PDB file of all heavy atoms in Angstrom:
ATOM      1  N   THR A 603      -3.811 135.708 183.788  1.00  0.00           N
ATOM      2  CA  THR A 603      -3.668 134.666 184.802  1.00  0.00           C
ATOM      3  C   THR A 603      -2.336 134.811 185.497  1.00  0.00           C
ATOM      4  O   THR A 603      -1.418 135.431 184.993  1.00  0.00           O
ATOM      5  CB  THR A 603      -3.732 133.280 184.138  1.00  0.00           C
ATOM      6  OG1 THR A 603      -2.670 133.219 183.179  1.00  0.00           O
ATOM      7  CG2 THR A 603      -5.051 133.056 183.452  1.00  0.00           C
ATOM      8  N   ASP A 604      -2.251 134.212 186.678  1.00  0.00           N
ATOM      9  CA  ASP A 604      -1.019 134.329 187.447  1.00  0.00           C
ATOM     10  C   ASP A 604       0.071 133.390 186.953  1.00  0.00           C
ATOM     11  O   ASP A 604       1.240 133.582 187.246  1.00  0.00           O
ATOM     12  CB  ASP A 604      -1.297 134.060 188.934  1.00  0.00           C
ATOM     13  CG  ASP A 604      -1.852 135.317 189.593  1.00  0.00           C
ATOM     14  OD1 ASP A 604      -1.409 136.406 189.195  1.00  0.00           O
ATOM     15  OD2 ASP A 604      -2.732 135.198 190.463  1.00  0.00           O
ATOM     16  N   ASN A 605      -0.350 132.346 186.236  1.00  0.00           N
ATOM     17  CA  ASN A 605       0.651 131.382 185.790  1.00  0.00           C
ATOM     18  C   ASN A 605       1.330 131.806 184.496  1.00  0.00           C
ATOM     19  O   ASN A 605       2.028 131.027 183.872  1.00  0.00           O
ATOM     20  CB  ASN A 605       0.013 129.998 185.633  1.00  0.00           C
ATOM     21  CG  ASN A 605      -1.152 130.047 184.638  1.00  0.00           C
ATOM     22  OD1 ASN A 605      -1.346 131.035 183.936  1.00  0.00           O
ATOM     23  ND2 ASN A 605      -1.919 128.981 184.588  1.00  0.00           N
ATOM     24  N   GLY A 606       1.143 133.057 184.095  1.00  0.00           N
ATOM     25  CA  GLY A 606       1.834 133.537 182.919  1.00  0.00           C
ATOM     26  C   GLY A 606       1.229 133.052 181.617  1.00  0.00           C
ATOM     27  O   GLY A 606       1.890 132.982 180.595  1.00  0.00           O
ATOM     28  N   GLU A 607      -0.073 132.714 181.649  1.00  0.00           N
ATOM     29  CA  GLU A 607      -0.736 132.288 180.419  1.00  0.00           C
ATOM     30  C   GLU A 607      -1.744 133.357 179.994  1.00  0.00           C
ATOM     31  O   GLU A 607      -2.241 134.130 180.796  1.00  0.00           O
ATOM     32  CB  GLU A 607      -1.505 130.975 180.663  1.00  0.00           C
ATOM     33  CG  GLU A 607      -0.612 129.788 180.948  1.00  0.00           C
ATOM     34  CD  GLU A 607      -0.139 129.094 179.686  1.00  0.00           C
ATOM     35  OE1 GLU A 607      -0.466 129.568 178.586  1.00  0.00           O
ATOM     36  OE2 GLU A 607       0.570 128.090 179.814  1.00  0.00           O
ATOM     37  N   SER A 608      -2.025 133.356 178.711  1.00  0.00           N
ATOM     38  CA  SER A 608      -3.022 134.265 178.183  1.00  0.00           C
ATOM     39  C   SER A 608      -4.413 133.869 178.679  1.00  0.00           C
ATOM     40  O   SER A 608      -4.671 132.700 178.950  1.00  0.00           O
ATOM     41  CB  SER A 608      -2.982 134.187 176.662  1.00  0.00           C
ATOM     42  OG  SER A 608      -4.208 134.588 176.121  1.00  0.00           O
ATOM     43  N   PRO A 609      -5.337 134.836 178.824  1.00  0.00           N
ATOM     44  CA  PRO A 609      -6.719 134.492 179.187  1.00  0.00           C
ATOM     45  C   PRO A 609      -7.326 133.478 178.205  1.00  0.00           C
ATOM     46  O   PRO A 609      -8.198 132.691 178.577  1.00  0.00           O
ATOM     47  CB  PRO A 609      -7.457 135.818 179.100  1.00  0.00           C
ATOM     48  CG  PRO A 609      -6.410 136.870 179.232  1.00  0.00           C
ATOM     49  CD  PRO A 609      -5.163 136.288 178.683  1.00  0.00           C
ATOM     50  N   LEU A 610      -6.872 133.501 176.978  1.00  0.00           N
ATOM     51  CA  LEU A 610      -7.408 132.566 175.984  1.00  0.00           C
ATOM     52  C   LEU A 610      -7.111 131.116 176.355  1.00  0.00           C
ATOM     53  O   LEU A 610      -7.810 130.199 175.920  1.00  0.00           O
ATOM     54  CB  LEU A 610      -6.811 132.872 174.597  1.00  0.00           C
ATOM     55  CG  LEU A 610      -7.273 134.176 173.943  1.00  0.00           C
ATOM     56  CD1 LEU A 610      -6.426 134.481 172.720  1.00  0.00           C
ATOM     57  CD2 LEU A 610      -8.747 134.106 173.584  1.00  0.00           C
ATOM     58  N   ALA A 611      -6.063 130.917 177.188  1.00  0.00           N
ATOM     59  CA  ALA A 611      -5.700 129.557 177.598  1.00  0.00           C
ATOM     60  C   ALA A 611      -6.735 128.958 178.533  1.00  0.00           C
ATOM     61  O   ALA A 611      -6.721 127.760 178.817  1.00  0.00           O
ATOM     62  CB  ALA A 611      -4.325 129.570 178.253  1.00  0.00           C
ATOM     63  N   ASN A 612      -7.656 129.784 179.023  1.00  0.00           N
ATOM     64  CA  ASN A 612      -8.736 129.272 179.874  1.00  0.00           C
ATOM     65  C   ASN A 612      -9.988 128.935 179.075  1.00  0.00           C
ATOM     66  O   ASN A 612     -11.039 128.686 179.647  1.00  0.00           O
ATOM     67  CB  ASN A 612      -9.102 130.315 180.937  1.00  0.00           C
ATOM     68  CG  ASN A 612      -7.992 130.490 181.945  1.00  0.00           C
ATOM     69  OD1 ASN A 612      -7.207 129.553 182.175  1.00  0.00           O
ATOM     70  ND2 ASN A 612      -7.901 131.669 182.517  1.00  0.00           N
ATOM     71  N   MET A 613      -9.909 128.980 177.759  1.00  0.00           N
ATOM     72  CA  MET A 613     -11.092 128.787 176.928  1.00  0.00           C
ATOM     73  C   MET A 613     -10.910 127.613 175.973  1.00  0.00           C
ATOM     74  O   MET A 613     -10.679 127.800 174.785  1.00  0.00           O
ATOM     75  CB  MET A 613     -11.387 130.062 176.141  1.00  0.00           C
ATOM     76  CG  MET A 613     -11.540 131.273 177.059  1.00  0.00           C
ATOM     77  SD  MET A 613     -11.726 132.786 176.129  1.00  0.00           S
ATOM     78  CE  MET A 613     -13.341 132.524 175.448  1.00  0.00           C
ATOM     79  N   PRO A 614     -11.063 126.394 176.488  1.00  0.00           N
ATOM     80  CA  PRO A 614     -10.845 125.210 175.649  1.00  0.00           C
ATOM     81  C   PRO A 614     -11.752 125.201 174.417  1.00  0.00           C
ATOM     82  O   PRO A 614     -11.346 124.724 173.359  1.00  0.00           O
ATOM     83  CB  PRO A 614     -11.145 124.037 176.583  1.00  0.00           C
ATOM     84  CG  PRO A 614     -11.785 124.624 177.786  1.00  0.00           C
ATOM     85  CD  PRO A 614     -11.410 126.051 177.866  1.00  0.00           C
ATOM     86  N   GLU A 615     -12.955 125.758 174.535  1.00  0.00           N
ATOM     87  CA  GLU A 615     -13.864 125.757 173.376  1.00  0.00           C
ATOM     88  C   GLU A 615     -13.300 126.592 172.245  1.00  0.00           C
ATOM     89  O   GLU A 615     -13.644 126.427 171.094  1.00  0.00           O
ATOM     90  CB  GLU A 615     -15.265 126.246 173.777  1.00  0.00           C
ATOM     91  CG  GLU A 615     -15.384 127.696 174.200  1.00  0.00           C
ATOM     92  CD  GLU A 615     -14.920 127.970 175.642  1.00  0.00           C
ATOM     93  OE1 GLU A 615     -14.281 127.080 176.261  1.00  0.00           O
ATOM     94  OE2 GLU A 615     -15.163 129.087 176.148  1.00  0.00           O
ATOM     95  N   TRP A 616     -12.386 127.512 172.591  1.00  0.00           N
ATOM     96  CA  TRP A 616     -11.767 128.342 171.549  1.00  0.00           C
ATOM     97  C   TRP A 616     -10.487 127.693 171.019  1.00  0.00           C
ATOM     98  O   TRP A 616     -10.259 127.627 169.830  1.00  0.00           O
ATOM     99  CB  TRP A 616     -11.443 129.737 172.099  1.00  0.00           C
ATOM    100  CG  TRP A 616     -10.850 130.651 171.058  1.00  0.00           C
ATOM    101  CD1 TRP A 616     -11.527 131.332 170.096  1.00  0.00           C
ATOM    102  CD2 TRP A 616      -9.458 130.919 170.844  1.00  0.00           C
ATOM    103  NE1 TRP A 616     -10.659 132.023 169.301  1.00  0.00           N
ATOM    104  CE2 TRP A 616      -9.381 131.789 169.736  1.00  0.00           C
ATOM    105  CE3 TRP A 616      -8.276 130.507 171.474  1.00  0.00           C
ATOM    106  CZ2 TRP A 616      -8.156 132.263 169.253  1.00  0.00           C
ATOM    107  CZ3 TRP A 616      -7.071 130.982 170.993  1.00  0.00           C
ATOM    108  CH2 TRP A 616      -7.015 131.856 169.885  1.00  0.00           C
ATOM    109  N   PHE A 617      -9.679 127.187 171.951  1.00  0.00           N
ATOM    110  CA  PHE A 617      -8.361 126.747 171.471  1.00  0.00           C
ATOM    111  C   PHE A 617      -8.324 125.303 170.987  1.00  0.00           C
ATOM    112  O   PHE A 617      -7.365 124.895 170.352  1.00  0.00           O
ATOM    113  CB  PHE A 617      -7.264 127.024 172.520  1.00  0.00           C
ATOM    114  CG  PHE A 617      -7.333 126.231 173.793  1.00  0.00           C
ATOM    115  CD1 PHE A 617      -7.152 124.848 173.799  1.00  0.00           C
ATOM    116  CD2 PHE A 617      -7.525 126.885 175.027  1.00  0.00           C
ATOM    117  CE1 PHE A 617      -7.180 124.140 174.989  1.00  0.00           C
ATOM    118  CE2 PHE A 617      -7.558 126.170 176.211  1.00  0.00           C
ATOM    119  CZ  PHE A 617      -7.379 124.794 176.190  1.00  0.00           C
ATOM    120  N   THR A 618      -9.356 124.529 171.255  1.00  0.00           N
ATOM    121  CA  THR A 618      -9.339 123.158 170.776  1.00  0.00           C
ATOM    122  C   THR A 618      -9.755 123.129 169.303  1.00  0.00           C
ATOM    123  O   THR A 618     -10.837 123.583 168.944  1.00  0.00           O
ATOM    124  CB  THR A 618     -10.304 122.290 171.594  1.00  0.00           C
ATOM    125  OG1 THR A 618     -10.041 122.512 172.979  1.00  0.00           O
ATOM    126  CG2 THR A 618     -10.113 120.825 171.262  1.00  0.00           C
ATOM    127  N   VAL A 619      -8.870 122.620 168.460  1.00  0.00           N
ATOM    128  CA  VAL A 619      -9.171 122.542 167.028  1.00  0.00           C
ATOM    129  C   VAL A 619      -8.617 121.240 166.454  1.00  0.00           C
ATOM    130  O   VAL A 619      -7.913 120.505 167.140  1.00  0.00           O
ATOM    131  CB  VAL A 619      -8.523 123.713 166.245  1.00  0.00           C
ATOM    132  CG1 VAL A 619      -9.280 124.991 166.406  1.00  0.00           C
ATOM    133  CG2 VAL A 619      -7.057 123.858 166.639  1.00  0.00           C
ATOM    134  N   GLU A 620      -8.957 121.010 165.212  1.00  0.00           N
ATOM    135  CA  GLU A 620      -8.349 119.878 164.518  1.00  0.00           C
ATOM    136  C   GLU A 620      -7.045 120.334 163.892  1.00  0.00           C
ATOM    137  O   GLU A 620      -6.952 121.451 163.391  1.00  0.00           O
ATOM    138  CB  GLU A 620      -9.271 119.393 163.395  1.00  0.00           C
ATOM    139  CG  GLU A 620     -10.414 118.537 163.874  1.00  0.00           C
ATOM    140  CD  GLU A 620     -11.287 118.090 162.708  1.00  0.00           C
ATOM    141  OE1 GLU A 620     -10.885 118.311 161.539  1.00  0.00           O
ATOM    142  OE2 GLU A 620     -12.357 117.543 162.980  1.00  0.00           O
ATOM    143  N   CYS A 621      -6.069 119.442 163.870  1.00  0.00           N
ATOM    144  CA  CYS A 621      -4.812 119.767 163.209  1.00  0.00           C
ATOM    145  C   CYS A 621      -5.072 119.882 161.713  1.00  0.00           C
ATOM    146  O   CYS A 621      -5.634 118.985 161.106  1.00  0.00           O
ATOM    147  CB  CYS A 621      -3.769 118.688 163.475  1.00  0.00           C
ATOM    148  SG  CYS A 621      -2.304 118.869 162.434  1.00  0.00           S
ATOM    149  N   PRO A 622      -4.675 121.007 161.099  1.00  0.00           N
ATOM    150  CA  PRO A 622      -4.945 121.190 159.668  1.00  0.00           C
ATOM    151  C   PRO A 622      -4.203 120.166 158.813  1.00  0.00           C
ATOM    152  O   PRO A 622      -4.571 119.941 157.669  1.00  0.00           O
ATOM    153  CB  PRO A 622      -4.407 122.599 159.387  1.00  0.00           C
ATOM    154  CG  PRO A 622      -4.196 123.236 160.704  1.00  0.00           C
ATOM    155  CD  PRO A 622      -3.990 122.143 161.697  1.00  0.00           C
ATOM    156  N   LYS A 623      -3.192 119.559 159.390  1.00  0.00           N
ATOM    157  CA  LYS A 623      -2.389 118.620 158.614  1.00  0.00           C
ATOM    158  C   LYS A 623      -2.939 117.208 158.718  1.00  0.00           C
ATOM    159  O   LYS A 623      -3.207 116.572 157.702  1.00  0.00           O
ATOM    160  CB  LYS A 623      -0.945 118.639 159.139  1.00  0.00           C
ATOM    161  CG  LYS A 623       0.098 118.812 158.045  1.00  0.00           C
ATOM    162  CD  LYS A 623       1.468 118.770 158.692  1.00  0.00           C
ATOM    163  CE  LYS A 623       2.530 119.320 157.762  1.00  0.00           C
ATOM    164  NZ  LYS A 623       3.805 119.501 158.483  1.00  0.00           N
ATOM    165  N   CYS A 624      -3.122 116.728 159.974  1.00  0.00           N
ATOM    166  CA  CYS A 624      -3.484 115.317 160.144  1.00  0.00           C
ATOM    167  C   CYS A 624      -4.879 115.133 160.695  1.00  0.00           C
ATOM    168  O   CYS A 624      -5.368 114.006 160.773  1.00  0.00           O
ATOM    169  CB  CYS A 624      -2.460 114.626 161.046  1.00  0.00           C
ATOM    170  SG  CYS A 624      -2.576 115.152 162.770  1.00  0.00           S
ATOM    171  N   GLY A 625      -5.534 116.214 161.100  1.00  0.00           N
ATOM    172  CA  GLY A 625      -6.904 116.086 161.569  1.00  0.00           C
ATOM    173  C   GLY A 625      -7.046 115.664 163.017  1.00  0.00           C
ATOM    174  O   GLY A 625      -8.151 115.612 163.540  1.00  0.00           O
TER     175      GLY A 625
END
Side-chain angles (χ1 to χ4, degrees):
Chain A
T603 59
D604 279 325
N605 58 11
E607 293 274 3
S608 156
L610 290 170
N612 291 333
M613 304 174 70
E615 67 281 12
W616 182 80
F617 67 65
T618 310
V619 282
E620 281 180 9
C621 169
K623 230 182 196 170
C624 71

